């Protein structure tokens, strides 16, 4: 295992572990005795985060559609010499197949409702879309010319939540810990990994979107 791979796994671990702690803290806010998995499930209770429900449903349907019509992947993913608009359409297909579909839909289902309640519905969509397109654009520019997936956009949501919490969170230790997320994003960018671009784009947007909680995080 070379140093590049070590740093890549270290960054992934930092984002996933810190991001999980952040989501748990946001989801259990106001009910400290609620286990984090149940708290994340309750993010889908009333008032239902409708924009998140639509987004997750669309990505799940697109994932199913690409398994029935595999030609969708080639038509929408990024590839060398591809059209500029593929920076957007590449978010709609998961080029690595079923595992990527299941993982990304599950990750989006966990992150999106928390982001919608924390940031607001349309700021959540903005963070998802802009960070995803930015990451796909730098990929097309040479970082990773072939493929597709929305994990880079989900990273953008995590980045926006991290910055929001760093500015407005009520747990000082966690406010410091979440700074690992933009740090990991920067290191990933130095390694020309497109997830780093998604993270940093989300973090940048999070500076403007960092506002107090719009809705109660538990219902």
């Amino acid at each position: 295992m070379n140093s590049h791979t070590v740093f890549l796994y270290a960054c992934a671990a930092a984002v996933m572990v810190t991001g999980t702690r952040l989501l748990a803290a946001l989801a259990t806010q106001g009910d400290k005795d609620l286990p984090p998995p149940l708290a994340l499930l309750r993010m889908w209770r009333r008032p239902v985060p409708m924009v998140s429900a639509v987004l997750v449903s669309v990505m799940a349907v697109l994932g199913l559609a690409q398994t029935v019509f595999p030609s969708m992947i080639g038509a929408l993913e990024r590839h060398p010499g591809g059209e500029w608009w593929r920076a957007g359409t590449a978010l709609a297909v998961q080029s690595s197949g079923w595992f990527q579909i299941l993982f990304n839909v599950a990750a989006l289902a966990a992150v999106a409702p928390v982001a919608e309640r924390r940031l607001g519905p349309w700021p959540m969509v903005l963070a998802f879309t802009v960070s995803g397109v930015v990451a796909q654009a730098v990929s097309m520019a040479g970082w990773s010319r072939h493929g597709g997936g929305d994990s880079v956009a989900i990273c953008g949501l995590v980045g926006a939540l991290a910055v929001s919490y760093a500015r407005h969170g009520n747990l000082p230790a966690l406010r410091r810990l979440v700074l690992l997320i933009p740090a990991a994003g920067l290191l990933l960018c130095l390694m020309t990994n497109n997830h780093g671009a998604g993270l940093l784009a989300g973090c940048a947007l999070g500076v403007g979107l960092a506002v107090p909680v719009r809705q109660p995080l538990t219902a």
Side-chain angles (χ1 to χ4, degrees):
M1 184 179 295
N2 58 35
S3 59
H4 182 277
T5 303
V6 170
F7 283 123
L8 183 63
Y9 280 120
C11 289
V15 172
M16 293 187 68
V17 172
T18 306
T20 299
R21 289 191 59 180
L22 173 61
L23 291 175
L26 291 172
T28 58
Q29 187 169 326
D31 191 350
K32 304 301 184 182
D33 295 327
L34 190 65
L38 183 58
L40 288 173
L41 183 62
R42 287 185 64 183
M43 291 292 94
W44 288 102
R45 295 182 65 180
R46 294 180 180 178
V48 176
M50 292 303 300
V51 176
S52 294
V54 171
L55 182 59
V56 173
S57 297
V58 167
M59 297 311 300
V61 168
L62 287 171
L64 179 61
Q66 76 170 58
T67 65
V68 178
F69 306 104
S71 60
M72 278 181 57
I73 300 174
L76 300 178
E77 70 179 349
R78 62 185 187 272
H79 59 70
E83 299 86 345
W84 63 268
W85 46 260
R86 290 177 182 271
T89 61
L91 293 170
V93 291
Q94 317 297 326
S95 56
S96 296
W98 265 110
F99 177 79
Q100 188 182 14
I101 294 171
L102 294 175
F103 183 87
N104 286 352
V105 169
L108 185 60
V111 177
V114 179
E116 180 172 343
R117 293 182 187 274
R118 179 79 187 191
L119 305 172
W122 301 116
M124 182 274 289
V125 173
L126 178 67
F128 179 89
T129 304
V130 172
S131 57
V133 169
V134 167
Q136 297 290 355
V138 299
S139 298
M140 293 176 65
W143 285 18
S144 179
R145 291 182 180 273
H146 193 278
D150 66 331
S151 60
V152 289
I154 298 169
C155 284
L157 293 182
V158 174
L161 284 172
V163 170
S164 175
Y165 196 88
R167 295 188 64 187
H168 296 285
N170 58 353
L171 298 175
L174 185 56
R175 290 177 67 179
R176 293 189 294 270
L177 182 64
V178 295
L179 296 178
L180 285 175
I181 290 176
L186 178 59
L187 184 54
L188 286 169
C189 283
L190 293 174
M191 294 189 291
T192 63
N193 184 285
N194 57 4
H195 292 84
L199 281 169
L200 289 188
C203 289
L205 289 168
V207 174
L209 301 177
V211 295
V213 178
R214 301 278 184 92
Q215 304 175 36
L217 288 178
T218 54

